Amino acid sequence: MHKTIDEYGKVEEKETALVEKEEKSPSMKQKLTASFIRVDGKDAKLAMAHMYVAFIALLLGGLAGLLQVLVRSGEFTLPLGIKIGYYQVLTVHGILLALILTTFFIMGFQIASISRTAGAFTNVQRKIGWTGFWLMLVGTAAAAAMVLLNKATVLYTFYAPLKAHWIFYLGLALVVVGSWLLCIMQILKYYRWKKENKGQTSPLLTYMAVVNSILWITCSLGVAVEVLFQLLPWSLGLVERVDILLSRTLFWYFGHALVYFWLLPAYMAWYVVVPKVIGGHIFSDALARLSFILFLLFSFPVGIHHQLTEPGIEGFWKFVQVVLTFFVVIPSLMTAFSLFATFEMRGRELGGKGVLGWFKNLPWGDARFLVPFIGMVAFIPGGAGGIVNASYQMNQLVHNTIWVTGHFHLTVATAVALTFFGVAFWLIPHLTGRTLTPKLNYLGNVSGILWGIGMLIMSLSMHLAGLLGAPRRSEYSTYGGAEMAYDWIPYQIAQAVGGTILFIAILVIMYIVVQLIWFAPKGEEEFPVATVAPGAEKTPAILENFKIWGVILVALIVFAYTMPIIDIISNSPAGSKGFMPW
Amino acid sequence: MHIHKYEKWWLVFGCATLVAFLVILAIGAFHNGTHPNEGKITVDYENVDSIKPFDNPGVHKVEGKEWDYEVVLVASAFSYNPNEIEVPLGSVVKFYATTRDVIHGFEIAQTNINMMLEPGYVSEYVAEMNKAGEYLIVCNEYCGTGHTYMYGTLKVVDENAQNN
Ligand code: HEM
Ligand SMILES: [Cu+2]
Ligand SMILES: [Cu+2]
């Protein structure tokens, strides 16, 4: 027998009410909270395996980030003893943080979310999951080895005709294939739940995780084609040349959807977890699902907005994809509205008065709320900057400048990253059977605030230097004493200050995570899952009809990409040989 | 599906702004012709040095075209040829640029001139030089160890000011 989410929600609500009253009697609390719905032990192990990798990636990637800002300040050079160049460090940073931290954390979080809301995975599903995990890990190790041996200093976007060692590409392919298995595991579980609960609406978190799994499989097909059919045979010497523009277009078909793959798990936390943490309800189950579907649809026919200044692609089709890009404004506005509505309703419930009085009543001292909240705030300028980037002509002013780096350190490296950390603060103890103590909670807030301050400084100075033309992906240089480049240096020093604060925040986070894994007191930490407000309407069944959405999705992709790809292939010059200029 | 009254207003306002914004971008692009680089010519990147116009890189004055100067530029790891470009204030300049090896960027700092140079393709852009000064040209796409040593200068010269 499977319980439905509503049943779960009700059970839990009673418990929290009691716990609040009985807070002072620890034995009572122990007994009551022991009946919180927990992630199945075997699933917890699989989810935790992902967390280890994610946080090791954070530490090492953060260290690389620190080295970058120091080198770029011009005040510091990499010690001679370390035979590692700037671009090697940057490759490590991009891969560990943008690809490894995110993918591992997301898979772990989604598995735990499904297990928590739809029940334990079956043994077969779990085996598929473990196979996926090990494939990803082996792939990561292989790719990392090549980067460290300086055989793959191609940055995390590995644009041809820079040619890495074939083991690097093979490693990436293994990561992608492993992640597919993990997604399949989740989708299988979802269909099993649907079969066992005919006619019922699936638990919201499960649904969201499944949408993101579908998004990931659909987008990583692009990079899989690029790696398996173009780069791998080319690096093995089986073919001499590779079609550059085609490889970039495949990459960005993947690359833009990738950013939504990072974002949707953060939205899972914003829509479902944070409302519970503050004691409120989900604003609307149906709108939450609708926004996920819209994100799924609009993350694909848009990748060319990363190629606006490239030759070989018709302006008309670039513009079509620009227009489609802006459609994500709709689900974004929906999300912003839902979140603030939830906050306001809860703030008023707690006695907040006036237009903004409710704001004070939110649980600012709770790291599970505050840390993701700082992320949400960062997402506002992040989104605004994104509008500039995507604005066709305006893109020329900022393309490949450090402005862009400033932009995605607000979005992925703050909005998404802080939400993930806010999740880890309860998810890890939930999975390891420990608790987030008041002291660790306090440190959590400290890390979030440090991150906010550090990123404000670093990202702002990146944006400003970018507007002055400073290029991204560039180590320190005076550009032959050029006056314009001279103006960039103060901003680079500011970036070093901000980056150092960020690194300190990472150390605090690592301390908390280590405590939560091995040392915090044993106990029960809640996996917060909010329920819909009482009296809410039933969610329309069409939102779970993935056949319809699949057809629309494919139609959009075909519409946006058929002509550009035909153009690229039919007009393509002879392909490129490989280069290793590092 | 029920949508709250305020949310409807919020979405209608948001979508209306969005449409207005896109219309402005479209007028800019299709009416005023402000497209970013969409160069359509292809070349053999291994033999650019012997293919017109890249067999003669530099700044060339032209007559009877919509622009006054043509800048023909070849990028390679890690330099631009020509490395220094000088044009008079007020002139309209067409850039033709390509690469002999990996992907490079061609960005003139603090201007709208910003294109990717990809092997096999000619990147093109037309711009009016309406502010005198010395501009830094930088490669803004990672191209190898010497990436930040890849730069050049654009001098927009006010000839009247010099004669005085
Ligand atoms: C200690 C914290 C961090 C610092 C100091 C830092 C610093 C930097 C700097 C200075 C760059 C640009 C280097 C250049 O273009 O030459 C950069 C690039 C980048 N960072 Fe971070 N960062 C940090 C955290 C993060 C996090 C948490 C993420 C993602 C979750 C992230 C993702 C990226 C990515 C994807 C790039 C682009 C790499 C490339 O252009 O190839 N960073 N970072
Ligand atoms: Cu994008
Ligand atoms: Cu370069």
Side-chain angles (χ1 to χ4, degrees):
Chain A
M1 248 307 274
H2 279 266
K3 291 186 191 167
T4 68
I5 183 170
D6 301 43
E7 274 171 86
Y8 282 162
K10 271 183 221 138
V11 173
E12 260 186 285
E13 230 137 77
K14 272 187 230 129
E15 288 160 5
T16 22
L18 280 172
V19 172
E20 271 159 25
K21 269 188 230 141
E22 307 288 342
E23 204 75 282
K24 280 175 212 96
S25 133
S27 65
M28 189 68 180
K29 176 176 178 185
Q30 207 65 32
K31 225 170 81 200
L32 282 166
T33 48
S35 53
F36 272 140
I37 294 136
R38 296 203 47 189
V39 171
D40 173 86
K42 289 188 185 143
D43 296 342
K45 237 174 138 179
L46 178 56
M48 267 314 290
H50 289 82
M51 294 296 148
Y52 292 120
V53 182
F55 282 93
I56 293 171
L58 174 67
L59 181 64
L60 299 177
L63 185 63
L66 178 68
L67 294 176
Q68 285 153 216
V69 285
L70 293 178
V71 168
R72 286 170 47 85
S73 73
E75 305 286 322
F76 177 89
T77 43
L78 290 173
L80 286 176
I82 311 180
K83 284 236 166 12
I84 280 190
Y86 179 83
Y87 298 105
Q88 221 175 333
V89 173
L90 186 57
T91 307
V92 169
H93 182 76
I95 290 182
L96 283 186
L97 294 174
L99 302 179
I100 303 306
L101 164 71
T102 49
T103 309
F104 277 84
F105 185 91
I106 289 167
M107 289 303 159
F109 176 41
Q110 290 190 177
I111 287 167
S113 297
I114 293 179
S115 179
R116 162 69 172 78
T117 56
F121 287 90
T122 65
N123 285 334
V124 174
Q125 290 161 356
R126 214 175 284 121
K127 270 211 188 89
I128 298 176
W130 275 108
T131 313
F133 169 80
W134 283 111
L135 281 179
M136 294 214 302
L137 194 61
V138 170
T140 305
M146 291 304 114
V147 174
L148 293 178
L149 292 171
N150 202 19
K151 300 242 186 265
T153 306
V154 291
L155 307 189
Y156 84 113
T157 45
F158 49 89
Y159 293 143
L162 297 177
K163 187 160 94 177
H165 194 283
W166 61 270
I167 294 179
F168 174 79
Y169 299 116
L170 184 69
L172 294 180
L174 289 178
V175 172
V176 170
V177 173
S179 69
W180 286 349
L181 292 179
L182 286 153
C183 289
I184 289 171
M185 166 200 188
Q186 299 172 47
I187 294 170
L188 285 176
K189 170 72 203 172
Y190 169 79
Y191 278 106
R192 200 186 171 89
W193 190 96
K194 289 298 282 182
K195 231 163 99 193
E196 287 168 352
N197 298 271
K198 277 237 156 33
Q200 297 203 39
T201 311
S202 60
L204 184 53
L205 269 187
T206 297
Y207 175 86
M208 291 171 152
V210 165
V211 172
N212 204 32
S213 295
I214 295 173
L215 186 151
W216 175 249
I217 293 178
T218 316
C219 83
S220 50
L221 276 171
V223 76
V225 169
E226 182 199 2
V227 169
L228 294 177
F229 293 104
Q230 291 195 291
L231 304 183
L232 202 51
W234 177 61
S235 61
L236 282 166
L238 301 177
V239 295
E240 195 189 14
R241 291 169 189 273
V242 70
D243 184 330
I244 299 302
L245 194 52
L246 184 63
S247 76
R248 295 173 64 79
T249 306
L250 286 168
F251 183 86
W252 282 114
Y253 160 86
F254 154 76
H256 183 77
L258 171 69
V259 310
Y260 286 104
F261 168 71
W262 298 333
L263 193 59
L264 290 189
Y267 277 19
M268 285 166 65
W270 294 0
Y271 269 112
V272 186
V273 173
V274 170
K276 173 76 184 181
V277 167
I278 66 173
H281 289 284
I282 295 169
F283 180 67
S284 161
D285 180 275
L287 286 176
R289 286 176 208 249
L290 178 62
S291 81
F292 266 60
I293 289 290
L294 293 178
F295 277 120
L296 172 67
L297 297 181
F298 293 128
S299 49
F300 287 99
V302 300
I304 290 180
H305 70 216
H306 290 263
Q307 301 178 276
L308 295 177
T309 66
E310 286 184 39
I313 304 176
E314 190 83 42
F316 173 78
W317 286 105
K318 288 179 180 172
F319 197 83
V320 166
Q321 295 215 5
V322 162
V323 171
L324 290 168
T325 299
F326 279 103
F327 276 44
V328 297
V329 164
I330 299 166
S332 306
L333 290 178
M334 284 165 57
T335 304
F337 189 91
S338 296
L339 295 177
F340 280 92
T342 303
F343 295 162
E344 178 175 353
M345 287 187 323
R346 180 59 183 158
R348 291 202 189 285
E349 237 171 71
L350 292 174
K353 298 260 154 34
V355 179
L356 290 172
W358 51 272
F359 203 70
K360 287 202 296 276
N361 288 17
L362 296 170
W364 297 109
D366 189 335
R368 301 171 307 163
F369 169 68
L370 180 68
V371 176
F373 184 85
I374 298 172
M376 294 177 196
V377 172
F379 205 56
I380 298 170
I387 293 178
V388 174
N389 302 343
S391 297
Y392 202 54
Q393 301 92 337
M394 251 191 285
N395 176 266
Q396 297 171 107
L397 190 64
V398 295
H399 176 73
N400 269 353
T401 67
I402 197 86
W403 158 286
V404 175
T405 317
H407 161 71
F408 60 68
H409 279 83
L410 286 180
T411 51
V412 64
T414 305
V416 170
L418 283 187
T419 303
F420 287 1
F421 303 151
V423 165
F425 294 157
W426 54 260
L427 180 60
I428 291 179
H430 178 91
L431 297 175
T432 56
R434 298 180 185 272
T435 53
L436 180 68
T437 61
K439 183 184 152 215
L440 292 175
N441 176 67
Y442 174 79
L443 285 176
N445 286 333
V446 169
S447 72
I449 291 168
L450 280 177
W451 195 284
I453 295 170
M455 195 56 90
L456 182 68
I457 299 172
M458 185 173 94
S459 169
L460 186 65
S461 45
M462 284 176 164
H463 277 93
L464 294 174
L467 288 180
L468 295 177
R472 67 183 284 201
R473 301 183 145 179
S474 297
E475 69 178 311
Y476 180 77
S477 168
T478 53
Y479 295 94
E483 209 175 307
M484 281 189 175
Y486 192 74
D487 294 341
W488 303 336
I489 293 173
Y491 295 101
Q492 279 154 206
I493 291 174
Q495 287 161 35
V497 173
T500 307
I501 299 174
L502 277 169
F503 186 68
I504 296 170
I506 289 183
L507 294 180
V508 178
I509 291 162
M510 291 309 295
Y511 173 80
I512 299 170
V513 166
V514 167
Q515 289 291 319
L516 291 175
I517 296 176
W518 289 294
F519 304 109
K522 290 230 178 315
E524 299 279 340
E525 185 66 42
E526 181 194 5
F527 187 137
V529 177
T531 51
V532 287
E537 307 171 48
K538 195 168 157 32
T539 302
I542 187 167
L543 288 168
E544 295 213 58
N545 191 334
F546 285 111
K547 286 201 192 87
I548 295 186
W549 302 117
V551 169
I552 299 178
L553 177 59
V554 172
L556 277 169
I557 296 172
V558 167
F559 165 68
Y561 272 106
T562 307
M563 284 314 293
I565 298 253
I566 289 178
D567 276 354
I568 289 170
I569 294 177
S570 56
N571 299 331
S572 87
S576 272
K577 292 181 179 166
F579 292 86
M580 279 158 270
W582 62 78
Chain B
M1 193 173 7
H2 172 75
I3 299 183
H4 191 281
K5 184 174 68 183
Y6 290 159
E7 178 158 17
K8 273 187 201 146
W9 294 354
W10 167 249
L11 289 178
V12 167
F13 170 76
C15 293
T17 324
L18 175 62
V19 170
F21 182 72
L22 289 174
V23 167
I24 294 171
L25 291 189
I27 292 174
F30 297 100
H31 182 264
N32 303 353
T34 57
H35 288 283
N37 167 33
E38 49 172 336
K40 296 180 182 72
I41 308 168
T42 57
V43 287
D44 173 0
Y45 77 91
E46 284 164 311
N47 295 305
V48 274
D49 293 343
S50 54
I51 298 171
K52 265 190 184 329
F54 298 105
D55 54 350
N56 184 16
V59 185
H60 310 296
K61 180 128 184 63
V62 294
E63 303 289 339
K65 295 194 178 174
E66 284 168 49
W67 44 85
D68 312 311
Y69 288 88
E70 286 180 353
V71 172
V72 176
L73 180 137
V74 179
S76 56
F78 303 102
S79 63
Y80 293 111
N81 180 19
N83 176 261
E84 214 180 284
I85 300 168
E86 195 178 310
V87 287
L89 179 67
S91 57
V92 177
V93 178
K94 173 140 194 180
F95 293 88
Y96 291 96
T98 192
T99 165
R100 267 185 2 199
D101 41 51
V102 295
I103 297 172
H104 297 283
F106 179 78
E107 173 199 325
I108 305 185
Q110 298 179 28
T111 73
N112 264 350
I113 305 166
N114 190 350
M115 326 187 265
M116 304 290 290
L117 311 183
E118 297 178 12
Y121 292 89
V122 179
S123 291
E124 299 173 31
Y125 198 71
V126 181
E128 196 186 320
M129 303 292 134
N130 47 22
K131 202 172 149 219
E134 203 173 301
Y135 294 83
L136 175 61
I137 301 173
V138 287
C139 176
N140 63 9
E141 183 57 272
Y142 167 69
C143 53
T145 331
H147 169 52
T148 51
Y149 302 104
M150 186 163 169
Y151 51 82
T153 34
L154 166 74
K155 287 186 183 146
V156 179
V157 188
D158 186 347
E159 279 162 345
N160 296 331
Q162 270 178 350
N163 294 341
N164 292 346

